[in-house]
Structures are given as C-alpha cells and as structure tokens.
C-alpha cells in the first residue's frame, strides 16, 4: 500500500541513494517504508485493532465536541470557541497519521510512502502539532484574562480577537512547517530507506540524512525552543497568575469552579507538551527509536481520545450540552 501525495513540488527531486537498491553512480526516487511496532502477525493484528478503535473513538469524540460548540448557543464564548477549534485540529492531526499507521500493521503487508508523500505527511504533522501547541497557549491566556481581569474579559477577548488568535496559530504553524520540511527534504538521504517509525517524523528522518547533522540538529533544537518551550513557559506564567487570583476568591464554590475549569486544560497541556518535549529535546545520537515509537503512540493516538474526555468530564456545562444534543439526536431518530 502506498501513501503518496501531489503536494510539495519543491520536494520532488532525485537524490543519491548510497547503499540502497540504486547504484552509487545513479540516482533514483526514494521510496520509504516504515517499521511496525511488532513483526509478530498476531501482535500486529492486535495493534491494528487497537489503533483503529482509538482513531474511530477520537473522530467521534472530537466531532461531537466541535459540532456541539458550533450549534449550541450557550457555548458561544471564547473558551468553547477555542475548544471547538482544538477538537477540529485533533481530528485533522489524527487523520494525518492513522491511515498509514493502520496499513503498516496489517500482517504480510508493508506500507510504503514516496518522497513527496513523506514530505507532505511531515508538513501536516508539524503544522497541526505546532498549531495545537500554540492554541493551548492561547487557551491559557483566555483563562488568565477570564480569571484575573473578569470585568474586561468581553472587551479583551472579543470575537474578532479570538478569530485572529486562531488564524495566527494556524499561520505560524504552517509557515514553520513549510520552512522546516523544505529544509529537511533538500538533504540527501542514503543507505537504509526504512524509517524507524510508523510515520514520517523529524527525528527518524534525521537518522537517514547523509553526512554531518549538526546544523540540522541545531535547527531542530531552536524550533523546539520556539514552538514548545516558549509557549509552555507562557502557559506556566499564566497559571501562576491564575492560581494566585483563584486563591483570593472568597467563595469556595467559585474557587472550585475556577480550579475545575483550569485543571482540565492544564492536564491536556502536560500530556501534549510532556510527550513533545521528551521526543524533540534529543539529538540523533541520544534519540531512542524504541522510546520514540512508544511515546508517539501516546500523542498521536491516545491524546486525541483523552483530550475530549478530560474536557467533557470536568466541565458541567459542556457535559449538559453534549447530553442535550445526543438526546435530541435519539428523539429525532425515533420519530
């Protein structure tokens, strides 16, 4: 099974494949293939079923939240507007990885991907992942304004400002992804054409690059600092002010509601940023492909399932809205 794409005309190049099926003095278009989590057929079937269930569950959960926020009038606030966009990003993010990962874990079948296809997958993975991290920072800022400046909240977080913040997250994520993907895929890949992963990711692709990787690793470190460390520090600073403001609230009920609203976001932040920083803070010499594959399963398959559950379980208003939407759906089908 082949995952290909027509995107990235700049990446369509022929590179020397030293030690592969093509002779050193000739060039050939690279065709990558992935390494599954296991080579045992029975275990591959188990992984395939688990991935499929997680993927379908994430689609159902995130679609339910996105549609509920869209159609329910009581949820037309900045917090739920950002949550609906986060759910939409999670759908796209999971869909970039899941199809080829599922195909790669079918026994006796090996999923392959072309040079352009791998570049396209990496672009959308970085784009959606980066936008996701930036959106979590935006959501922390929203909670900061709501708790620390409640009287000015509607003025600061106007609908226009919210739309600009969403657009800014998407634009910055896409620009960064485009530049990094073009830079990485203009390198020469040689030797082994097997990606030691179940999708095209930065660190496994770096291991296939010929020659010195010091400059590329420096760029990866700088990119990690900009897209992960800086937003994470902004979130931490926001929550220092948020916690200080919550502790000054006299009403125990109000304090509990504020902590409940913020804790769900903080759990999602720790899951997303913890896994990402763990992976991308390594160099190619210290990176462990085995650890990378395991941690990648968490933030590509499990996080899109856990995030909607975390938000819905700890948010009464969202739970009630979801229940009403699902109840109307049931009544409509009975009629």
């Amino acid at each position: 099974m082949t995952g290909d794409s027509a995107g990235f005309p700049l990446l369509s190049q022929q590179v020397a494949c030293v030690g592969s099926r093509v002779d050193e003095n000739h060039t050939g278009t690279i065709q990558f293939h992935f390494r599954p989590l296991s080579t045992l057929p029975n275990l591959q079937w188990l992984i395939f079923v688990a991935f499929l269930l997680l993927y379908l569950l994430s689609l159902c959960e995130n679609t339910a939240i996105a549609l509920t926020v869209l159609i329910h009038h009581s949820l037309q606030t900045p917090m739920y507007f950002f949550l609906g966009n986060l759910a939409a990003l999670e759908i796209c993010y999971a869909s970039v990885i899941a199809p080829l990962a599922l195909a790669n874990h079918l026994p006796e079948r090996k999923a392959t991907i072309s040079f352009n296809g791998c570049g396209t997958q990496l672009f959308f993975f970085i784009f959606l992942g980066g936008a996701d991290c930036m959106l979590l920072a935006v959501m922390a800022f929203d909670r900061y304004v709501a708790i620390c400046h409640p009287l000015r909240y509607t003025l600061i977080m106007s609908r226009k400002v919210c739309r600009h913040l969403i657009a800014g997250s998407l634009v910055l994520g896409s620009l960064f992804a485009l530049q990094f993907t073009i830079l990485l895929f203009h390198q020469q890949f040689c030797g082994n054409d097997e990606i030691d992963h179940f999708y095209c990711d930065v660190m496994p692709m770096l291991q296939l690059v010929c020659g010195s990787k010091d400059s590329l690793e420096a760029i990866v470190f700088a990119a990690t600092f900009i897209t992960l460390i800086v937003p994470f520090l902004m979130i931490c600073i926001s929550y220092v002010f948020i916690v200080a403001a919550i502790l000054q609230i006299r009403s125990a009920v109000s304090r509990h509601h504020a902590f409940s609203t913020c804790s769900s976001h903080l759990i999602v932040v720790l899951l997303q940023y913890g896994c990402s920083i763990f992976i991308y803070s390594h160099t190619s010499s210290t990176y462990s492909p085995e650890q990378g594959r395991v941690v990648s399963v968490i933030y590509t398959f499990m996080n899109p399932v856990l995030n909607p559950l975390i938000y819905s379980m700890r948010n009464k208003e969202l739970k009630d809205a979801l229940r009403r939407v699902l109840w109307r759906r049931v009544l409509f089908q009975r009629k």
Side-chain angles (χ1 to χ4, degrees):
M1 182 175 296
T2 302
D4 205 345
S5 172
F8 288 102
L10 289 176
L11 301 181
S12 182
Q13 63 171 3
Q14 289 188 321
V15 294
C17 299
V18 181
S20 70
R21 292 186 298 266
V22 185
D23 189 79
E24 268 189 42
N25 298 324
H26 297 81
T27 58
T29 303
I30 294 179
Q31 194 79 7
F32 295 112
H33 63 271
F34 301 103
R35 176 173 294 182
L37 293 175
S38 174
T39 56
L40 300 175
N42 291 337
L43 194 53
Q44 281 188 317
W45 274 118
L46 183 62
I47 294 170
F48 173 83
V49 172
F51 278 6
L52 181 61
L53 290 176
L54 287 172
Y55 176 55
L56 294 177
L57 190 58
S58 71
L59 290 183
C60 293
E61 291 177 354
N62 286 291
T63 301
I65 286 183
L67 291 178
T68 301
V69 170
L70 183 65
I71 65 178
H72 215 282
H73 297 296
S74 65
L75 302 181
Q76 302 303 310
T77 63
M79 181 178 74
Y80 294 111
F81 173 72
F82 293 135
L83 182 57
N85 279 274
L86 181 66
L89 275 178
E90 295 282 11
I91 293 171
C92 299
Y93 182 73
S95 298
V96 167
I97 304 301
L100 274 176
L102 288 169
N104 195 46
H105 287 89
L106 285 171
E108 299 180 359
R109 301 190 71 176
K110 184 174 287 188
T112 61
I113 190 168
S114 68
F115 187 79
N116 274 3
C118 191
T120 303
Q121 186 185 52
L122 183 66
F123 166 79
F124 281 106
F125 174 72
I126 297 175
F127 162 44
L128 295 168
D132 197 311
C133 290
M134 293 176 194
L135 183 54
L136 288 174
V138 168
M139 293 172 74
F141 174 73
D142 171 70
R143 292 298 82 208
Y144 162 75
V145 176
I147 294 173
C148 298
H149 303 282
L151 299 179
R152 300 174 56 197
Y153 179 68
T154 54
L155 179 64
I156 297 174
M157 301 301 295
S158 65
R159 185 166 297 185
K160 183 179 180 181
V161 170
C162 291
R163 288 172 179 168
H164 285 170
L165 289 171
I166 292 291
S169 299
L170 294 174
V171 169
L172 288 175
S174 62
L175 288 176
F176 169 73
L178 182 63
Q179 293 176 2
F180 188 82
T181 305
I182 291 176
L183 175 66
L184 180 59
F185 277 78
H186 269 77
Q187 307 301 314
Q188 282 195 336
F189 297 89
C190 56
N192 191 4
D193 59 357
E194 181 185 64
I195 299 173
D196 198 354
H197 211 15
F198 56 90
Y199 63 92
C200 295
D201 198 3
V202 175
M203 299 308 296
M205 295 305 298
L206 272 177
Q207 294 185 321
L208 301 182
V209 173
C210 302
S212 176
K213 306 169 189 175
D214 293 343
S215 59
L216 279 174
E217 289 179 350
I219 293 171
V220 170
F221 179 80
T224 302
F225 184 80
I226 294 170
T227 58
L228 294 176
I229 305 299
V230 171
F232 183 69
L233 289 176
M234 292 173 63
I235 292 172
C236 292
I237 293 169
S238 297
Y239 272 100
V240 169
F241 288 104
I242 287 170
V243 171
I246 291 175
L247 293 176
Q248 293 177 1
I249 299 175
R250 295 183 179 181
S251 169
V253 175
S254 298
R255 280 201 307 271
H256 176 75
H257 177 71
F259 272 123
S260 179
T261 303
C262 295
S263 61
S264 58
H265 176 256
L266 197 54
I267 293 170
V268 171
V269 165
L270 292 175
L271 283 172
Q272 180 73 17
Y273 278 89
C275 293
S276 301
I277 291 174
F278 176 82
I279 291 293
Y280 299 110
S281 60
H282 290 280
T283 63
S284 59
S285 59
T286 61
Y287 172 74
S288 168
E290 292 77 16
Q291 289 182 353
R293 288 196 297 271
V294 172
V295 175
S296 294
V297 170
I298 297 173
Y299 67 79
T300 56
F301 281 95
M302 297 186 67
N303 278 6
V305 174
L306 293 175
N307 292 352
L309 291 176
I310 293 168
Y311 278 114
S312 60
M313 284 191 302
R314 304 187 66 85
N315 190 304
K316 185 178 182 299
E317 191 175 9
L318 181 60
K319 279 193 295 186
D320 291 341
L322 281 167
R323 193 178 297 115
R324 286 194 292 270
V325 169
L326 292 174
W327 183 245
R328 287 176 190 172
R329 178 80 175 175
V330 171
L331 291 177
F332 178 78
Q333 287 180 345
R334 286 180 179 178
K335 292 179 181 179

